[in-house]
Amino acid sequence: MIGLFNECFPPVMDGVSITVYNLAQQFYNAGEEVSVITPSCPGLRSADYPFDLYTYFSLPVPIRPPYRCGMPFLDLKFQRTLEEVKFDVVHAHSPFSDAAHRQQ
């Protein structure tokens, strides 16, 4: 199982979202088990994707719409669900928080 962890995913449209979507789609098309793990976002529906999509609690970032600040540590249902998933490979994208720190 491949886990793609990132801070945004469509419907947020930026380079990371598109790249992670394309990567997940290519893994899926190649017959790999792949899951995307990302903060919840209005308009994001797991039924729109052929691969597994796990979301966790998030709040909007007031100074950076449409980005969300994910808070998986506050989402107990998500934590329980993710504990049962056995990842062989984990890949993480996290440019948003890095960029936010550089702007301060």
Side-chain angles (χ1 to χ4, degrees), residues 1-17:
M1 169 70 76
I2 300 167
L4 303 176
F5 290 73
N6 60 304
E7 293 178 334
C8 54
F9 195 71
V12 173
M13 298 305 286
D14 65 7
V16 171
S17 297

PDB file of all heavy atoms in Angstrom, residues 1-17:
ATOM      1  N   MET A   1       0.853  -1.180   0.000  1.00  0.00           N
ATOM      2  CA  MET A   1       0.000   0.000   0.000  1.00  0.00           C
ATOM      3  C   MET A   1       0.898   1.242   0.000  1.00  0.00           C
ATOM      4  O   MET A   1       1.818   1.341   0.797  1.00  0.00           O
ATOM      5  CB  MET A   1      -0.911  -0.005   1.220  1.00  0.00           C
ATOM      6  CG  MET A   1      -1.646   1.287   1.471  1.00  0.00           C
ATOM      7  SD  MET A   1      -2.929   1.696   0.309  1.00  0.00           S
ATOM      8  CE  MET A   1      -4.202   0.589   0.833  1.00  0.00           C
ATOM      9  N   ILE A   2       0.582   2.160  -0.880  1.00  0.00           N
ATOM     10  CA  ILE A   2       1.309   3.426  -0.987  1.00  0.00           C
ATOM     11  C   ILE A   2       0.441   4.512  -0.374  1.00  0.00           C
ATOM     12  O   ILE A   2      -0.738   4.636  -0.698  1.00  0.00           O
ATOM     13  CB  ILE A   2       1.606   3.758  -2.462  1.00  0.00           C
ATOM     14  CG1 ILE A   2       2.462   2.660  -3.099  1.00  0.00           C
ATOM     15  CG2 ILE A   2       2.280   5.127  -2.574  1.00  0.00           C
ATOM     16  CD1 ILE A   2       2.544   2.742  -4.605  1.00  0.00           C
ATOM     17  N   GLY A   3       1.007   5.312   0.513  1.00  0.00           N
ATOM     18  CA  GLY A   3       0.302   6.430   1.131  1.00  0.00           C
ATOM     19  C   GLY A   3       0.895   7.739   0.667  1.00  0.00           C
ATOM     20  O   GLY A   3       2.092   7.971   0.834  1.00  0.00           O
ATOM     21  N   LEU A   4       0.062   8.583   0.059  1.00  0.00           N
ATOM     22  CA  LEU A   4       0.486   9.913  -0.388  1.00  0.00           C
ATOM     23  C   LEU A   4      -0.132  10.937   0.550  1.00  0.00           C
ATOM     24  O   LEU A   4      -1.332  11.205   0.501  1.00  0.00           O
ATOM     25  CB  LEU A   4       0.037  10.152  -1.831  1.00  0.00           C
ATOM     26  CG  LEU A   4       0.519   9.136  -2.864  1.00  0.00           C
ATOM     27  CD1 LEU A   4      -0.080   9.444  -4.231  1.00  0.00           C
ATOM     28  CD2 LEU A   4       2.031   9.108  -2.924  1.00  0.00           C
ATOM     29  N   PHE A   5       0.687  11.496   1.420  1.00  0.00           N
ATOM     30  CA  PHE A   5       0.237  12.473   2.412  1.00  0.00           C
ATOM     31  C   PHE A   5       0.561  13.875   1.889  1.00  0.00           C
ATOM     32  O   PHE A   5       1.687  14.131   1.456  1.00  0.00           O
ATOM     33  CB  PHE A   5       0.970  12.262   3.739  1.00  0.00           C
ATOM     34  CG  PHE A   5       0.582  11.008   4.464  1.00  0.00           C
ATOM     35  CD1 PHE A   5       0.985   9.753   4.013  1.00  0.00           C
ATOM     36  CD2 PHE A   5      -0.191  11.073   5.609  1.00  0.00           C
ATOM     37  CE1 PHE A   5       0.636   8.593   4.686  1.00  0.00           C
ATOM     38  CE2 PHE A   5      -0.552   9.915   6.296  1.00  0.00           C
ATOM     39  CZ  PHE A   5      -0.132   8.682   5.828  1.00  0.00           C
ATOM     40  N   ASN A   6      -0.411  14.764   1.935  1.00  0.00           N
ATOM     41  CA  ASN A   6      -0.174  16.130   1.477  1.00  0.00           C
ATOM     42  C   ASN A   6      -1.144  17.088   2.144  1.00  0.00           C
ATOM     43  O   ASN A   6      -2.130  16.671   2.735  1.00  0.00           O
ATOM     44  CB  ASN A   6      -0.267  16.207  -0.046  1.00  0.00           C
ATOM     45  CG  ASN A   6      -1.616  15.774  -0.542  1.00  0.00           C
ATOM     46  OD1 ASN A   6      -2.057  14.670  -0.259  1.00  0.00           O
ATOM     47  ND2 ASN A   6      -2.292  16.630  -1.266  1.00  0.00           N
ATOM     48  N   GLU A   7      -0.862  18.369   2.013  1.00  0.00           N
ATOM     49  CA  GLU A   7      -1.661  19.384   2.690  1.00  0.00           C
ATOM     50  C   GLU A   7      -2.812  19.921   1.859  1.00  0.00           C
ATOM     51  O   GLU A   7      -3.623  20.687   2.367  1.00  0.00           O
ATOM     52  CB  GLU A   7      -0.768  20.539   3.143  1.00  0.00           C
ATOM     53  CG  GLU A   7       0.191  20.122   4.227  1.00  0.00           C
ATOM     54  CD  GLU A   7       1.104  21.237   4.661  1.00  0.00           C
ATOM     55  OE1 GLU A   7       1.360  22.150   3.863  1.00  0.00           O
ATOM     56  OE2 GLU A   7       1.563  21.187   5.811  1.00  0.00           O
ATOM     57  N   CYS A   8      -2.858  19.577   0.590  1.00  0.00           N
ATOM     58  CA  CYS A   8      -3.976  20.006  -0.238  1.00  0.00           C
ATOM     59  C   CYS A   8      -4.185  19.016  -1.373  1.00  0.00           C
ATOM     60  O   CYS A   8      -3.285  18.262  -1.732  1.00  0.00           O
ATOM     61  CB  CYS A   8      -3.768  21.419  -0.774  1.00  0.00           C
ATOM     62  SG  CYS A   8      -2.225  21.653  -1.655  1.00  0.00           S
ATOM     63  N   PHE A   9      -5.398  19.032  -1.882  1.00  0.00           N
ATOM     64  CA  PHE A   9      -5.790  18.099  -2.929  1.00  0.00           C
ATOM     65  C   PHE A   9      -6.990  18.730  -3.624  1.00  0.00           C
ATOM     66  O   PHE A   9      -7.696  19.542  -3.020  1.00  0.00           O
ATOM     67  CB  PHE A   9      -6.160  16.752  -2.274  1.00  0.00           C
ATOM     68  CG  PHE A   9      -6.240  15.612  -3.231  1.00  0.00           C
ATOM     69  CD1 PHE A   9      -5.097  15.096  -3.813  1.00  0.00           C
ATOM     70  CD2 PHE A   9      -7.459  15.055  -3.554  1.00  0.00           C
ATOM     71  CE1 PHE A   9      -5.162  14.038  -4.701  1.00  0.00           C
ATOM     72  CE2 PHE A   9      -7.543  13.996  -4.430  1.00  0.00           C
ATOM     73  CZ  PHE A   9      -6.386  13.492  -5.013  1.00  0.00           C
ATOM     74  N   PRO A  10      -7.237  18.407  -4.903  1.00  0.00           N
ATOM     75  CA  PRO A  10      -8.410  19.006  -5.543  1.00  0.00           C
ATOM     76  C   PRO A  10      -9.651  18.831  -4.671  1.00  0.00           C
ATOM     77  O   PRO A  10      -9.783  17.793  -4.025  1.00  0.00           O
ATOM     78  CB  PRO A  10      -8.531  18.207  -6.848  1.00  0.00           C
ATOM     79  CG  PRO A  10      -7.113  17.797  -7.141  1.00  0.00           C
ATOM     80  CD  PRO A  10      -6.498  17.529  -5.792  1.00  0.00           C
ATOM     81  N   PRO A  11     -10.470  19.839  -4.545  1.00  0.00           N
ATOM     82  CA  PRO A  11     -10.662  20.947  -5.464  1.00  0.00           C
ATOM     83  C   PRO A  11      -9.695  22.111  -5.315  1.00  0.00           C
ATOM     84  O   PRO A  11      -9.768  23.055  -6.094  1.00  0.00           O
ATOM     85  CB  PRO A  11     -12.090  21.398  -5.188  1.00  0.00           C
ATOM     86  CG  PRO A  11     -12.315  21.063  -3.749  1.00  0.00           C
ATOM     87  CD  PRO A  11     -11.507  19.814  -3.502  1.00  0.00           C
ATOM     88  N   VAL A  12      -8.796  22.110  -4.328  1.00  0.00           N
ATOM     89  CA  VAL A  12      -7.739  23.122  -4.297  1.00  0.00           C
ATOM     90  C   VAL A  12      -6.820  22.819  -5.475  1.00  0.00           C
ATOM     91  O   VAL A  12      -6.330  21.703  -5.613  1.00  0.00           O
ATOM     92  CB  VAL A  12      -6.944  23.086  -2.970  1.00  0.00           C
ATOM     93  CG1 VAL A  12      -5.759  24.031  -3.028  1.00  0.00           C
ATOM     94  CG2 VAL A  12      -7.850  23.411  -1.798  1.00  0.00           C
ATOM     95  N   MET A  13      -6.621  23.791  -6.337  1.00  0.00           N
ATOM     96  CA  MET A  13      -5.839  23.551  -7.543  1.00  0.00           C
ATOM     97  C   MET A  13      -4.521  24.316  -7.474  1.00  0.00           C
ATOM     98  O   MET A  13      -4.480  25.532  -7.638  1.00  0.00           O
ATOM     99  CB  MET A  13      -6.637  23.977  -8.786  1.00  0.00           C
ATOM    100  CG  MET A  13      -7.923  23.180  -8.951  1.00  0.00           C
ATOM    101  SD  MET A  13      -7.683  21.392  -8.988  1.00  0.00           S
ATOM    102  CE  MET A  13      -7.000  21.182 -10.601  1.00  0.00           C
ATOM    103  N   ASP A  14      -3.472  23.583  -7.180  1.00  0.00           N
ATOM    104  CA  ASP A  14      -2.127  24.132  -7.225  1.00  0.00           C
ATOM    105  C   ASP A  14      -1.206  23.012  -7.686  1.00  0.00           C
ATOM    106  O   ASP A  14      -1.652  21.898  -7.972  1.00  0.00           O
ATOM    107  CB  ASP A  14      -1.707  24.732  -5.880  1.00  0.00           C
ATOM    108  CG  ASP A  14      -1.593  23.729  -4.755  1.00  0.00           C
ATOM    109  OD1 ASP A  14      -1.709  22.513  -4.995  1.00  0.00           O
ATOM    110  OD2 ASP A  14      -1.369  24.156  -3.614  1.00  0.00           O
ATOM    111  N   GLY A  15       0.071  23.282  -7.772  1.00  0.00           N
ATOM    112  CA  GLY A  15       1.007  22.295  -8.277  1.00  0.00           C
ATOM    113  C   GLY A  15       1.047  21.024  -7.457  1.00  0.00           C
ATOM    114  O   GLY A  15       1.120  19.919  -8.003  1.00  0.00           O
ATOM    115  N   VAL A  16       1.008  21.137  -6.141  1.00  0.00           N
ATOM    116  CA  VAL A  16       1.050  19.954  -5.280  1.00  0.00           C
ATOM    117  C   VAL A  16      -0.215  19.123  -5.464  1.00  0.00           C
ATOM    118  O   VAL A  16      -0.153  17.906  -5.633  1.00  0.00           O
ATOM    119  CB  VAL A  16       1.239  20.343  -3.798  1.00  0.00           C
ATOM    120  CG1 VAL A  16       1.057  19.148  -2.895  1.00  0.00           C
ATOM    121  CG2 VAL A  16       2.611  20.961  -3.597  1.00  0.00           C
ATOM    122  N   SER A  17      -1.367  19.769  -5.452  1.00  0.00           N
ATOM    123  CA  SER A  17      -2.629  19.041  -5.619  1.00  0.00           C
ATOM    124  C   SER A  17      -2.653  18.257  -6.917  1.00  0.00           C
ATOM    125  O   SER A  17      -3.004  17.074  -6.944  1.00  0.00           O
ATOM    126  CB  SER A  17      -3.814  20.011  -5.626  1.00  0.00           C
ATOM    127  OG  SER A  17      -3.936  20.677  -4.411  1.00  0.00           O
TER     128      SER A  17
END
